[in-house]
Amino acid sequence: MAIQSTYPLNHTSAVAGALVDGQIRNIRSAVAEVAIPFGRVVVRGSADGRVKLPTVSTDLSASAPAIVMGISMRALDDDTDASDVAQYEVGRTVSFIDFGVIWGITEENVTQGDAVTARYAAGGSGLGTFGLTTGASERSVLTGARFMASALAGNLVPIRLRMTSSA
Protein backbone atom coordinates (compact mmCIF):
# COMPACT_ATOMS: atom_id res chain seq x y z
CA MET A 1 0.00 0.00 0.00
CA ALA A 2 1.37 3.38 -1.03
CA ILE A 3 1.89 6.02 1.63
CA GLN A 4 1.11 9.62 0.81
CA SER A 5 4.23 11.69 1.36
CA THR A 6 3.31 14.97 -0.35
CA TYR A 7 0.42 17.28 0.42
CA PRO A 8 -0.63 19.98 -2.06
CA LEU A 9 -1.25 23.47 -0.76
CA ASN A 10 -3.82 24.33 -3.41
CA HIS A 11 -6.85 22.17 -4.06
CA THR A 12 -9.40 22.34 -6.86
CA SER A 13 -12.11 24.90 -6.20
CA ALA A 14 -14.94 22.56 -7.18
CA VAL A 15 -15.82 18.96 -8.01
CA ALA A 16 -18.90 17.51 -9.68
CA GLY A 17 -21.68 16.96 -7.18
CA ALA A 18 -20.25 19.20 -4.47
CA LEU A 19 -22.47 21.86 -2.92
CA VAL A 20 -21.45 25.32 -4.11
CA ASP A 21 -21.83 27.17 -0.82
CA GLY A 22 -23.90 27.40 2.34
CA GLN A 23 -27.15 28.46 0.67
CA ILE A 24 -30.39 26.84 1.76
CA ARG A 25 -30.77 23.41 0.19
CA ASN A 26 -32.86 20.29 0.50
CA ILE A 27 -31.02 16.97 0.60
CA ARG A 28 -32.85 13.69 0.05
CA SER A 29 -31.75 10.10 -0.42
CA ALA A 30 -32.73 6.90 -2.22
CA VAL A 31 -31.12 3.62 -3.30
CA ALA A 32 -29.17 3.50 -6.60
CA GLU A 33 -30.55 1.06 -9.20
CA VAL A 34 -27.56 1.74 -11.47
CA ALA A 35 -24.10 3.22 -10.90
CA ILE A 36 -24.63 6.99 -10.57
CA PRO A 37 -21.69 9.38 -10.97
CA PHE A 38 -21.60 12.49 -8.76
CA GLY A 39 -23.25 15.64 -10.13
CA ARG A 40 -25.78 13.90 -12.41
CA VAL A 41 -29.55 14.19 -12.74
CA VAL A 42 -31.35 11.31 -11.03
CA VAL A 43 -34.91 10.22 -11.72
CA ARG A 44 -37.37 7.93 -9.97
CA GLY A 45 -36.38 4.28 -10.28
CA SER A 46 -38.56 1.18 -10.60
CA ALA A 47 -40.09 1.67 -7.14
CA ASP A 48 -40.42 4.20 -4.34
CA GLY A 49 -37.11 4.98 -2.65
CA ARG A 50 -35.04 4.07 -5.72
CA VAL A 51 -33.28 6.29 -8.29
CA LYS A 52 -31.54 5.86 -11.63
CA LEU A 53 -30.13 7.98 -14.44
CA PRO A 54 -32.56 9.26 -17.10
CA THR A 55 -32.78 6.97 -20.15
CA VAL A 56 -35.81 8.27 -22.07
CA SER A 57 -37.13 11.78 -22.74
CA THR A 58 -40.20 11.21 -20.57
CA ASP A 59 -37.89 10.79 -17.53
CA LEU A 60 -37.28 14.55 -17.83
CA SER A 61 -40.73 15.60 -19.02
CA ALA A 62 -42.15 18.79 -17.52
CA SER A 63 -45.56 17.14 -17.63
CA ALA A 64 -44.34 14.56 -15.12
CA PRO A 65 -42.14 16.56 -12.69
CA ALA A 66 -42.40 13.91 -9.98
CA ILE A 67 -40.11 11.67 -12.06
CA VAL A 68 -37.07 14.01 -11.80
CA MET A 69 -35.72 13.62 -8.27
CA GLY A 70 -32.70 15.97 -8.29
CA ILE A 71 -28.92 16.05 -8.81
CA SER A 72 -26.62 13.53 -7.11
CA MET A 73 -24.25 14.94 -4.48
CA ARG A 74 -20.61 14.05 -4.00
CA ALA A 75 -20.03 11.51 -1.24
CA LEU A 76 -16.98 11.95 0.96
CA ASP A 77 -16.22 8.22 0.84
CA ASP A 78 -15.69 8.27 -2.93
CA ASP A 79 -16.11 5.03 -4.85
CA THR A 80 -14.57 4.93 -8.30
CA ASP A 81 -15.09 2.56 -11.19
CA ALA A 82 -12.36 1.09 -13.42
CA SER A 83 -12.23 4.40 -15.35
CA ASP A 84 -11.71 6.34 -12.09
CA VAL A 85 -15.20 7.90 -12.23
CA ALA A 86 -16.37 8.88 -8.73
CA GLN A 87 -19.86 7.45 -8.27
CA TYR A 88 -22.46 5.66 -6.18
CA GLU A 89 -22.46 1.92 -6.84
CA VAL A 90 -25.64 -0.12 -7.34
CA GLY A 91 -27.43 -0.63 -4.02
CA ARG A 92 -25.78 2.31 -2.24
CA THR A 93 -27.77 5.15 -0.76
CA VAL A 94 -27.57 8.17 -3.07
CA SER A 95 -27.75 11.69 -1.60
CA PHE A 96 -29.23 14.23 -3.99
CA ILE A 97 -30.59 17.77 -3.83
CA ASP A 98 -33.93 18.91 -5.19
CA PHE A 99 -33.37 22.51 -4.05
CA GLY A 100 -30.04 24.34 -3.88
CA VAL A 101 -26.87 25.05 -5.87
CA ILE A 102 -24.53 22.23 -6.91
CA TRP A 103 -21.55 21.81 -9.26
CA GLY A 104 -22.13 19.99 -12.56
CA ILE A 105 -20.15 19.54 -15.78
CA THR A 106 -21.55 21.16 -18.93
CA GLU A 107 -21.22 19.58 -22.39
CA GLU A 108 -21.59 22.96 -24.11
CA ASN A 109 -20.57 26.57 -23.61
CA VAL A 110 -23.21 28.15 -21.35
CA THR A 111 -24.03 31.62 -20.07
CA GLN A 112 -25.20 32.60 -16.61
CA GLY A 113 -28.99 32.42 -16.44
CA ASP A 114 -29.40 29.90 -19.28
CA ALA A 115 -31.96 27.13 -18.82
CA VAL A 116 -30.36 23.72 -18.15
CA THR A 117 -30.92 20.61 -20.23
CA ALA A 118 -30.06 17.07 -19.13
CA ARG A 119 -28.89 14.15 -21.27
CA TYR A 120 -31.10 11.05 -21.43
CA ALA A 121 -29.40 9.39 -24.44
CA ALA A 122 -25.99 7.74 -24.53
CA GLY A 123 -23.14 9.89 -25.78
CA GLY A 124 -21.61 13.21 -24.82
CA SER A 125 -20.38 13.20 -21.23
CA GLY A 126 -22.87 10.50 -20.19
CA LEU A 127 -26.44 10.11 -18.95
CA GLY A 128 -27.68 12.84 -16.64
CA THR A 129 -25.06 15.42 -17.67
CA PHE A 130 -25.90 19.02 -18.53
CA GLY A 131 -26.06 21.23 -21.58
CA LEU A 132 -27.90 24.07 -23.19
CA THR A 133 -29.57 22.85 -26.37
CA THR A 134 -32.28 20.25 -26.66
CA GLY A 135 -30.92 17.74 -29.17
CA ALA A 136 -33.34 15.85 -31.42
CA SER A 137 -33.08 12.76 -29.24
CA GLU A 138 -30.44 13.55 -26.64
CA ARG A 139 -31.44 16.11 -24.01
CA SER A 140 -34.54 17.68 -22.49
CA VAL A 141 -35.03 20.83 -20.43
CA LEU A 142 -34.56 20.29 -16.70
CA THR A 143 -37.50 22.27 -15.31
CA GLY A 144 -36.51 24.55 -12.44
CA ALA A 145 -32.76 24.57 -13.21
CA ARG A 146 -30.52 27.47 -14.30
CA PHE A 147 -26.78 27.89 -14.83
CA MET A 148 -25.44 30.29 -12.19
CA ALA A 149 -22.28 31.23 -14.12
CA SER A 150 -20.86 31.13 -17.62
CA ALA A 151 -18.63 28.17 -18.50
CA LEU A 152 -16.92 26.54 -21.46
CA ALA A 153 -17.82 23.01 -22.57
CA GLY A 154 -16.29 20.31 -20.38
CA ASN A 155 -15.96 22.56 -17.33
CA LEU A 156 -17.66 22.70 -13.96
CA VAL A 157 -20.49 25.19 -13.53
CA PRO A 158 -22.80 25.93 -10.58
CA ILE A 159 -26.39 24.85 -11.24
CA ARG A 160 -29.32 26.21 -9.25
CA LEU A 161 -32.07 23.63 -8.87
CA ARG A 162 -35.54 24.54 -7.62
CA MET A 163 -37.81 21.58 -8.14
CA THR A 164 -41.47 22.53 -7.98
CA SER A 165 -42.48 18.99 -7.11
CA SER A 166 -40.69 15.72 -6.48
CA ALA A 167 -41.84 12.33 -5.37
Side-chain angles (χ1 to χ4, degrees):
M1 179 164 127
I3 297 174
Q4 183 174 350
S5 60
T6 60
Y7 301 90
L9 294 176
N10 300 312
H11 300 277
T12 56
S13 60
V15 294
L19 296 172
V20 172
D21 54 28
Q23 292 185 45
I24 295 173
R25 60 195 170 264
N26 189 52
I27 300 171
R28 302 180 60 211
S29 63
V31 175
E33 286 187 351
V34 297
I36 299 174
F38 303 154
R40 303 285 180 98
V41 172
V42 292
V43 298
R44 185 178 187 278
S46 61
D48 291 346
R50 301 180 68 80
V51 291
K52 63 180 184 133
L53 296 169
T55 55
V56 293
S57 62
T58 54
D59 283 344
L60 302 169
S61 172
S63 63
I67 293 174
V68 176
M69 301 299 285
I71 299 175
S72 62
M73 291 176 51
R74 177 181 178 266
L76 294 179
D77 57 339
D78 297 353
D79 277 342
T80 56
D81 67 5
S83 301
D84 205 29
V85 174
Q87 64 185 5
Y88 292 99
E89 296 296 332
V90 175
R92 279 200 58 202
T93 300
V94 178
S95 294
F96 58 92
I97 68 164
D98 61 5
F99 182 93
V101 184
I102 192 166
W103 290 100
I105 297 174
T106 180
E107 293 184 344
E108 303 175 276
N109 296 350
V110 298
T111 302
Q112 181 179 11
D114 285 343
V116 177
T117 63
R119 178 173 288 282
Y120 61 83
S125 300
L127 296 174
T129 56
F130 308 99
L132 178 61
T133 58
T134 52
S137 59
E138 300 172 358
R139 289 193 293 262
S140 291
V141 172
L142 185 58
T143 303
R146 294 277 176 198
F147 290 109
M148 297 302 294
S150 299
L152 298 176
N155 287 301
L156 288 160
V157 62
I159 298 169
R160 182 192 72 209
L161 185 61
R162 292 183 178 172
M163 303 291 298
T164 54
S165 168
S166 33

